Amino acid sequence: MLRYIAYRVVLGLLMLLALTVLIFVMLRLTPGDPIDAYINPTIPIAEADLAALRERLGLDQPLPVQYFAWLGAALSGNFGFSIQRGGAPVLPLVLSRVWPTVLLMLSATAIAIVVGIVAGIVSAVRKNRPADISLSVFSFLGVSSPAFLTGILGLYGFSVVLRWFPSGGMLTPGRPFSGLDLLYHLILPATLLSIAQGALIMRYMRGSLLEVLSQDYVRTARAKGVREFWVVVKHAVRNALLPVITLIGSTIGGAIGGAIFIESVFNWPGMGLLMINAVSSRDYSVIMCATLLIGASVILVNLLTDIAYAAVDPRIRNA
């Protein structure tokens, strides 16, 4: 098991290193010159001053030199300064937005896991019945609906038309902090973010449980007179959860991408909204730091998922 964990950790570090290269190259390939973000286009600037600024920022060096300079600074915790925020250090700025995004992600994932597993069990047990058909239609709609569409429709339906939930923000302006107020603002965006993830978990849970229910040991338990409820709960669900564990970890990346749209729709003060504002203002330092942190989080979640799956199923670590 320790050898398997060490192998997965090394592989995760290599993936993180490859991610730094990808982020750096992709941003350098975007249209325009990075130096444009540092100057005011309405104010004329001499070529000598422009060249001096480019040299001070290291933009006159070859790309490999620029990459290793940035990587060395990043490893020491220096991700540069935010142009949009008046020269504020990037790392504290990005870290200050982690908590709202983590809260939104954990809430959405918890909803998706509970609803997806329960709905998958009901759908499998009630195969080809009205409950199964209704849940299957919901799952197909949930998987095929992008986050920005569900976010806009949910905002319009539940905030504008029905006025059940606030239309944006994390807290009510002008009021002291309250857990109930935070929950009131969290319910709608977290639920909308969980739709695609929960629908996918439901489909996998349904298929996995149907496969397990057709196994010989399940038929043997039924033949012995074990009640159907205990056949499903005690004998089938536990084994059917194995592939779902891997799925939950793999859907975290998609949920993070969906969180960017949900945060922009609901003006949720997390990393997604910060990244959108940084892209619109071409704040390269913030974009690189936030993207790297998100990518590292996805790699870490997948690593923990693989370890958990290997702990449950010894065949994985012995393969």
Side-chain angles (χ1 to χ4, degrees):
M1 185 66 182
L2 292 177
R3 183 183 302 174
Y4 176 80
I5 294 176
Y7 169 75
R8 296 299 303 175
V9 169
V10 172
L11 186 61
L13 292 175
L14 293 177
M15 292 175 60
L16 185 61
L17 180 62
L19 179 63
T20 62
V21 177
L22 181 63
I23 293 172
F24 188 86
V25 173
M26 291 299 292
L27 283 179
R28 287 295 185 268
L29 292 178
T30 54
D33 191 338
I35 200 69
D36 294 338
Y38 292 85
I39 61 177
N40 189 340
T42 62
I43 301 177
I45 182 172
E47 288 295 332
D49 296 333
L50 193 62
L53 179 60
R54 189 183 298 276
E55 181 180 358
R56 182 166 63 88
L57 296 174
L59 296 176
D60 60 332
Q61 300 293 325
L63 282 181
V65 176
Q66 295 183 37
Y67 166 73
F68 284 109
W70 171 77
L71 182 62
L75 291 175
S76 65
N78 180 17
F79 287 89
F81 301 91
S82 171
I83 305 170
Q84 183 187 17
R85 306 281 174 167
V90 167
L91 186 58
L93 174 63
V94 173
L95 292 179
S96 67
R97 299 295 190 97
V98 170
W99 156 244
T101 297
V102 169
L103 176 63
L104 181 62
M105 288 285 303
L106 290 180
S107 302
T109 302
I111 295 173
I113 292 174
V114 173
V115 174
I117 291 178
V118 173
I121 295 174
V122 173
S123 183
V125 172
R126 301 292 182 181
K127 181 182 178 182
N128 296 331
R129 297 182 184 179
D132 178 33
I133 297 173
S134 301
L135 290 173
S136 297
V137 171
F138 163 77
S139 67
F140 283 123
L141 290 176
V143 171
S144 59
S145 299
F148 70 87
L149 179 60
T150 57
I152 293 174
L153 293 178
L155 176 66
Y156 178 77
F158 293 100
S159 296
V160 178
V161 178
L162 298 176
R163 297 186 179 181
W164 290 355
F165 299 100
S167 59
M170 188 174 176
L171 297 169
T172 302
R175 290 186 183 180
F177 175 81
S178 170
L180 292 177
D181 186 40
L182 174 61
L183 180 63
Y184 181 51
H185 286 76
L186 176 65
I187 290 176
L188 183 57
T191 302
L192 295 174
L193 180 59
S194 70
I195 289 178
Q197 191 178 9
L200 193 59
I201 292 174
M202 179 229 155
R203 295 301 304 168
Y204 268 75
M205 187 65 197
R206 179 185 183 274
S208 179
L209 185 57
L210 286 175
E211 181 180 354
V212 172
L213 288 174
S214 64
Q215 298 297 317
D216 292 337
Y217 72 90
V218 175
R219 287 194 292 266
T220 302
R222 287 170 174 165
K224 290 181 178 181
V226 180
R227 294 178 57 186
E228 185 67 19
F229 176 81
W230 294 113
V231 170
V232 173
V233 174
K234 188 176 181 180
H235 295 278
V237 169
R238 182 182 300 178
N239 291 328
L241 283 174
L242 289 177
V244 178
I245 294 175
T246 302
L247 174 68
I248 292 173
S250 63
T251 57
I252 295 295
I256 291 177
I260 295 177
F261 294 104
I262 293 295
E263 288 183 4
S264 63
V265 171
F266 286 90
N267 198 29
W268 188 265
M271 292 183 62
L273 185 61
L274 177 66
M275 283 192 64
I276 289 179
N277 293 333
V279 170
S280 62
S281 61
R282 303 185 68 177
D283 201 341
Y284 290 102
S285 298
V286 174
I287 297 173
M288 295 173 74
C289 181
T291 306
L292 182 60
L293 184 59
I294 291 174
S297 301
V298 174
I299 293 174
L300 178 62
V301 169
N302 288 330
L303 172 64
L304 296 177
T305 302
D306 291 340
I307 293 174
Y309 195 78
V312 174
D313 190 350
R315 294 173 298 177
I316 300 299
R317 60 176 180 264
N318 294 329

